[in-house]
Amino acid sequence: MDRSSDEVIADWMHRRVAPLTRWAARHPVALDVLTTIALTLASFIGIAIQGRLHHADVVVFCFALPAPLLLRHRDPRLSFGLIALVALAQWVTST
């Protein structure tokens, strides 16, 4: 019996994602660092494209919002709380 195209696609995806999943399980701190760097770079590129680099507060929040992700595996609740606190500070200080 032939496999459905969904099964073929799922198999293909599983073979591609499984090594990444195993790596992430073995290196949780490295994953947190890479995630934080990727989000910071994406945010920085976004504000650069928008031409908002001359606003110091925008640049500070660009780095401050993803920074607590470094604590994600050590204490997820603290990480969430710090991100929420920085987001609140950004919302309160934004014009």
Side-chain angles (χ1 to χ4, degrees):
M1 177 171 221
D2 288 339
R3 296 177 358 165
S4 73
S5 61
D6 289 345
E7 290 173 329
V8 172
I9 291 170
D11 246 9
W12 179 84
M13 288 182 69
H14 183 276
R15 284 193 312 272
R16 298 300 182 268
V17 172
L20 293 173
T21 304
R22 286 191 300 271
W23 181 86
R26 286 191 316 265
H27 307 287
V29 174
L31 177 64
D32 290 346
V33 170
L34 289 173
T35 302
T36 302
I37 289 170
L39 288 173
T40 301
L41 283 174
S43 179
F44 192 77
I45 290 169
I47 63 172
I49 289 171
Q50 295 170 3
R52 297 170 51 196
L53 288 175
H54 60 279
H55 298 289
D57 60 333
V58 173
V59 176
V60 167
F61 285 119
C62 168
F63 289 97
L65 271 169
L69 289 175
L70 294 170
L71 303 171
R72 190 173 67 93
H73 276 92
R74 178 172 289 160
D75 190 347
R77 290 178 292 175
L78 176 62
S79 177
F80 173 80
L82 290 173
I83 291 170
L85 189 63
V86 172
L88 177 65
Q90 183 180 27
W91 177 67
V92 168
T93 62
S94 68
T95 54

